[in-house]
Amino acid sequence: MLILVPSNSRTAAEDSYGNATFKEISLERIEPILVTKLQNELPEDLLAFVRTVINYIGNPNRTSLLSYLLALEEESFTKESIGRNLFYLNLLPDLKLVEDENLIRSRLNLNITSCNILASFNRPIYDRVDELQIKKDSLQKDFYPIIQR
């Protein structure tokens, strides 16, 4: 019998969750296997796009990469899902990321730059949003409530 108990579980019976009662199974070696499996399942027409994203970001942590690939699979490996799920890789979603394959790197660069600007917590929100490389008075007002949360 296999019983899965979350590692942060705190219940009245938590004393019985220890290694003396149950054998702990490490899932650490499962992640790379799952990442490889999901990468192998990528449709041929999307493989280059996903590799470009992963390589441009430069070695995202394995858990984030796994979450990203699982989200792509969940959405049936669509072109839109490549950009929609960038938040798993700590980027802003970009539904138009793969519309023009000649612009993917520049869109990723703008995305990374924008995330770095928005994460500069030593500066006021208005200064950070104003520094974004987007058309003035377009999306700025939408960022303020999101960042203030």
Side-chain angles (χ1 to χ4, degrees), residues 4 26-42 47 50 54 61-74 77:
L4 300 175
S26 173
L27 300 177
E28 192 174 307
R29 294 179 295 176
I30 300 290
E31 280 187 348
I33 294 168
L34 285 174
V35 166
T36 301
K37 181 183 181 304
L38 288 166
Q39 286 176 326
N40 290 337
E41 290 179 7
L42 284 166
L47 187 59
V50 174
I54 294 168
N61 83 45
R62 194 173 293 137
T63 302
S64 297
L65 179 57
L66 179 58
S67 296
Y68 178 69
L69 293 171
L70 284 169
L72 296 184
E73 180 189 47
E74 181 75 21
F77 297 112

Side-chain angles (χ1 to χ4, degrees), residues 46-62:
L46 300 184
L47 187 59
F49 296 132
V50 174
R51 281 193 178 147
T52 299
V53 169
I54 294 168
N55 291 336
Y56 196 84
I57 291 171
N59 295 329
N61 83 45
R62 194 173 293 137

Side-chain angles (χ1 to χ4, degrees), residues 21 23 44 137:
T21 307
K23 180 177 181 178
E44 195 65 37
D137 300 321

Side-chain angles (χ1 to χ4, degrees), residues 17-134:
Y17 290 168
N19 286 340
T21 307
F22 297 106
K23 180 177 181 178
E24 186 175 320
I25 300 173
S26 173
L27 300 177
E28 192 174 307
R29 294 179 295 176
I30 300 290
E31 280 187 348
I33 294 168
L34 285 174
V35 166
T36 301
K37 181 183 181 304
L38 288 166
Q39 286 176 326
N40 290 337
E41 290 179 7
L42 284 166
E44 195 65 37
D45 60 325
L46 300 184
L47 187 59
F49 296 132
V50 174
R51 281 193 178 147
T52 299
V53 169
I54 294 168
N55 291 336
Y56 196 84
I57 291 171
N59 295 329
N61 83 45
R62 194 173 293 137
T63 302
S64 297
L65 179 57
L66 179 58
S67 296
Y68 178 69
L69 293 171
L70 284 169
L72 296 184
E73 180 189 47
E74 181 75 21
E75 294 185 31
S76 303
F77 297 112
T78 62
K79 281 187 173 185
E80 295 77 24
S81 68
I82 295 171
R84 182 183 297 114
N85 292 292
L86 287 175
F87 66 92
Y88 286 108
L89 302 172
N90 299 318
L91 295 176
L92 298 169
D94 182 354
L95 300 179
K96 297 182 179 183
L97 179 66
V98 298
E99 275 185 6
D100 183 345
E101 64 183 271
N102 296 317
L103 296 177
I104 293 176
R105 292 181 192 283
S106 61
R107 292 184 76 89
L108 286 170
N109 185 52
L110 177 61
N111 198 324
I112 291 168
T113 301
S114 298
C115 287
N116 288 336
I117 290 168
L118 292 172
S120 301
F121 296 113
N122 60 334
R123 299 177 52 224
I125 294 170
Y126 294 102
D127 290 350
R128 290 183 267 163
V129 172
D130 191 49
E131 190 180 330
L132 293 174
Q133 299 170 8
I134 55 176

